[in-house]
Amino acid sequence: MAYSSLVLYYLSQRRVPGRSFRHFFFIPTSLALVTSLLILFYISTTSNLFTHHHPNPKTPLQINSSSSSSAFSFTILHHKTSSTPFAIEAPLTEDGGGQRIESQRSLGPQLGSDGNHVNNNEVFHDRHIFLEDYKEMKRSFKIYVYPHRKDDSFANALLPVDSEPGGNYASESYFKKVLMKSRFITNDPTKADLFFLPFSIARLRHDPRVGVGGIQDFIRDYIFNVSQKYQYWNRTGGADHFYVACHSIGRSAMEKASEVKFNAIQVVCSSSYFLPGYIPHKDACLPQIWPRKEEPHDLLSSNRTKLAFFAGGINSPVREKLLQVWRNDSEIFAHFGRLTTPYADELLGSKFCLHVKGFEVNTARIADSLYYGCVPVIIANYYDLPFADILNWKSFSVIVATLDIPLLKKILKGISSEEYTWLQSNVLKVRKHFQWHLSPIDYDAFYMVMYELWLRRSFSTVTSSNF
């Protein structure tokens, strides 16, 4: 400001020819431009604003937060003097352009139910709380299912399937089939903690009377009929209701029934908190599990000669990038199309198995890798992982940002043999949580989903008390 005033004073005191004045006019403009460039140079040399931080090649793990409350990713460093295998550095997050920048939010100490620090070695966030709550859940949790008869015109979509579920979206059918025979069911709606909307998105999708184009109208009409015939939906606006869907079309199925999307608990496989319609903590992730019969042998002693394995269709930019970078690699086996070897053999023969985002963040590959004792590597941003409220995903998986696909080998080879043994031993501890049984077994997928619902019952109770 002082310099500008001086220039104006100088001009006012001196008469100059027009041409001289025009030349002099550019002096302050040039000085301003030079000053701006100097400021930008100073910022660029003292700030992280213009730099993109790739992980150190020796960094073993690139981990997204397993909590559904945030989109943080953490750089995990090996800490030789620590009592735990890994120490956590400053959290990272992603900006709107997909670039990872340092977050200003610190992690802070993680405390367990006894007031002590949580051990990051454990597969549970807090084992004591989980076991205590699990007992109470089994003792007291009650679900009311809206009744439908076998002669209902849409009984095929509203009642459990007769046969044992199979295929890529079996989780949806398994849950309903097991729930209907469980002790959680009550015929007295006044005793219910939650109300189940039993329509099957997967079956409606294949019903010629409905199809993909008619699902939204079906759901809208179904909710209208429920609200007219019963009083329970209207008490809370559906906040104490839930539905289960594994096919990704389940999310868009609620477009004409917005009260379901925003109020009811959505238990869905396509649990991406980047896209609208899924609300973490209110909604829950249903693990996508392909049912398998034969129990694999020698999971620990399998000869895992491949560093990493992936097989699947190219149906997303993320998979295109993976195949572009690693298709011809000798250690990372990234395969497109039909395999010439058994899928199970590839999973058993690999140290790490890649779960790569396709059309959606979810596939059955996480459950596949866990089933065959292969450490899952999750390459799918914004994925609200199954049972994230319960399980410590950092203890049995590696999560790599999609941006870091070119660094995949450095990240995986940076994991020491001791660290890998620790990860795989935890894989074998959690694999039981990702299996369905027609007669449920404690802590299997059915009971874990029920526990996630039990955690959410308090929200609906609070909402109900406000009416």
Coordinates of all heavy atoms in Angstrom, one line a residue, residues 16 23 32 43 57 91-92 134 136 138 160 162 183 212 225-226 250 271-272 319 350 377 411 415 429 445 464:
V16 N 4.5 14.0 -17.6 CA 5.3 13.2 -18.5 C 4.5 13.1 -19.8 O 3.3 13.1 -19.8 CB 5.6 11.8 -17.9 CG1 6.5 12.0 -16.7 CG2 4.4 11.0 -17.6
H23 N 4.6 3.6 -20.4 CA 5.7 2.7 -20.0 C 5.8 2.6 -18.5 O 6.0 1.5 -17.9 CB 7.0 3.2 -20.5 CG 7.2 2.9 -22.0 ND1 7.3 1.6 -22.5 CD2 7.2 3.7 -23.1 CE1 7.4 1.6 -23.8 NE2 7.4 2.9 -24.2
A32 N 3.9 -6.4 -8.9 CA 2.8 -7.3 -8.3 C 2.9 -8.7 -8.7 O 2.7 -9.7 -8.0 CB 1.4 -6.7 -8.6
I43 N 5.3 -20.8 -0.7 CA 4.3 -21.8 -0.2 C 4.6 -23.2 -0.7 O 4.6 -24.1 0.0 CB 2.9 -21.4 -0.7 CG1 2.4 -20.1 -0.1 CG2 1.9 -22.5 -0.5 CD1 1.1 -19.6 -0.6
P57 N 8.2 -47.0 0.0 CA 8.2 -48.4 -0.5 C 8.3 -49.5 0.6 O 7.9 -50.6 0.4 CB 9.4 -48.4 -1.4 CG 9.5 -47.0 -1.9 CD 9.1 -46.2 -0.7
P91 N -2.9 -39.8 10.3 CA -3.9 -40.3 9.4 C -3.8 -39.5 8.1 O -3.5 -38.3 8.1 CB -5.2 -40.1 10.1 CG -4.9 -39.0 11.1 CD -3.5 -39.1 11.5
L92 N -4.2 -40.2 7.0 CA -4.4 -39.6 5.7 C -5.8 -39.6 5.3 O -6.6 -40.5 5.7 CB -3.5 -40.3 4.7 CG -2.0 -40.4 5.0 CD1 -1.4 -41.2 3.9 CD2 -1.4 -39.0 5.0
Y134 N -22.9 -59.8 23.0 CA -23.4 -60.9 22.2 C -24.3 -61.8 23.0 O -25.4 -62.3 22.5 CB -22.2 -61.7 21.7 CG -22.5 -62.8 20.8 CD1 -22.6 -62.7 19.4 CD2 -22.7 -64.1 21.3 CE1 -22.9 -63.7 18.6 CE2 -22.9 -65.2 20.5 CZ -23.1 -65.0 19.1 OH -23.3 -66.1 18.3
E136 N -26.1 -60.9 25.6 CA -27.4 -60.2 25.8 C -28.2 -60.1 24.5 O -29.5 -60.3 24.6 CB -27.1 -58.7 26.2 CG -28.3 -57.8 26.5 CD -29.2 -58.4 27.5 OE1 -28.8 -59.2 28.4 OE2 -30.4 -58.0 27.5
K138 N -28.3 -62.5 22.2 CA -29.0 -63.8 22.0 C -30.1 -64.0 23.0 O -31.1 -64.7 22.7 CB -27.9 -64.9 22.2 CG -26.9 -65.0 21.1 CD -26.1 -66.3 21.2 CE -26.9 -67.5 20.9 NZ -26.1 -68.7 21.0
P160 N -39.3 -67.2 2.7 CA -37.9 -67.8 2.5 C -38.0 -68.8 1.3 O -39.0 -69.4 1.1 CB -37.6 -68.5 3.8 CG -38.5 -67.9 4.8 CD -39.7 -67.5 4.1
D162 N -37.3 -72.3 -0.6 CA -37.5 -73.7 -0.1 C -36.1 -74.4 -0.1 O -35.9 -75.2 0.8 CB -38.5 -74.4 -1.0 CG -39.9 -73.9 -0.9 OD1 -40.2 -73.4 0.2 OD2 -40.6 -73.9 -1.9
R183 N -34.8 -68.3 17.2 CA -35.4 -67.9 18.4 C -35.6 -66.3 18.5 O -36.2 -65.8 19.5 CB -34.7 -68.4 19.6 CG -34.7 -69.9 19.7 CD -33.9 -70.3 21.0 NE -32.5 -70.0 20.8 CZ -31.6 -70.2 21.8 NH1 -31.9 -70.7 22.9 NH2 -30.3 -69.9 21.6
V212 N -36.5 -55.5 -13.1 CA -35.7 -54.4 -12.6 C -36.4 -53.1 -12.7 O -36.4 -52.3 -11.8 CB -34.4 -54.3 -13.5 CG1 -33.6 -53.1 -13.1 CG2 -33.5 -55.6 -13.3
N225 N -48.9 -50.2 1.8 CA -49.8 -51.3 2.4 C -49.5 -51.6 3.9 O -50.4 -51.7 4.7 CB -49.8 -52.5 1.6 CG -50.4 -52.3 0.2 OD1 -51.2 -51.5 0.0 ND2 -49.9 -53.1 -0.8
V226 N -48.2 -51.7 4.2 CA -47.8 -51.9 5.5 C -48.2 -50.8 6.5 O -48.7 -51.0 7.6 CB -46.2 -52.2 5.6 CG1 -45.7 -52.0 7.0 CG2 -45.9 -53.5 5.1
G250 N -30.6 -53.1 -5.0 CA -31.4 -52.9 -3.8 C -31.3 -51.5 -3.3 O -32.2 -50.9 -2.7
S271 N -22.3 -51.5 0.2 CA -22.2 -50.6 1.3 C -21.1 -49.5 1.0 O -20.1 -49.5 1.7 CB -22.0 -51.3 2.6 OG -20.8 -52.1 2.5
S272 N -21.3 -48.7 0.1 CA -20.4 -47.6 -0.2 C -20.9 -46.3 0.3 O -22.0 -45.8 0.0 CB -20.2 -47.5 -1.8 OG -19.4 -46.3 -2.1
R319 N -10.2 -52.0 -12.0 CA -9.7 -53.3 -12.6 C -8.9 -53.1 -13.8 O -7.9 -53.8 -14.1 CB -10.9 -54.2 -12.8 CG -11.6 -54.7 -11.5 CD -12.6 -55.7 -11.8 NE -13.3 -56.2 -10.5 CZ -14.2 -57.1 -10.5 NH1 -14.6 -57.8 -11.5 NH2 -14.7 -57.4 -9.3
S350 N -1.7 -68.7 -3.1 CA -1.3 -67.3 -3.1 C -1.2 -66.8 -1.7 O -2.1 -67.1 -0.8 CB -2.3 -66.4 -3.9 OG -2.4 -66.9 -5.2
V377 N -6.5 -58.5 0.2 CA -6.0 -57.1 -0.1 C -7.1 -56.4 -0.8 O -7.6 -56.8 -1.8 CB -4.8 -57.1 -1.1 CG1 -4.3 -55.7 -1.4 CG2 -3.6 -57.9 -0.4
I411 N 4.3 -52.5 -1.7 CA 3.6 -52.5 -0.4 C 3.5 -54.0 0.1 O 3.8 -54.2 1.3 CB 2.1 -52.0 -0.6 CG1 2.2 -50.5 -0.9 CG2 1.3 -52.3 0.6 CD1 0.8 -49.9 -1.3
I415 N 6.0 -56.3 3.5 CA 5.5 -57.0 4.7 C 6.4 -58.2 5.0 O 6.6 -59.0 4.2 CB 4.0 -57.5 4.4 CG1 3.1 -56.3 4.2 CG2 3.5 -58.3 5.6 CD1 1.7 -56.7 3.8
K429 N -8.7 -66.9 12.3 CA -9.6 -66.6 13.4 C -10.9 -66.0 13.0 O -11.9 -66.3 13.6 CB -8.9 -65.6 14.4 CG -7.7 -66.2 15.1 CD -7.0 -65.1 16.0 CE -5.8 -65.7 16.7 NZ -5.1 -64.6 17.5
A445 N -21.9 -66.0 10.1 CA -22.3 -64.8 9.4 C -23.7 -64.3 9.9 O -24.0 -63.1 10.1 CB -22.3 -65.0 7.9
S464 N -38.3 -43.6 18.3 CA -39.6 -44.0 18.6 C -40.1 -43.1 19.8 O -41.3 -42.7 19.9 CB -39.7 -45.5 19.0 OG -41.0 -45.8 19.4

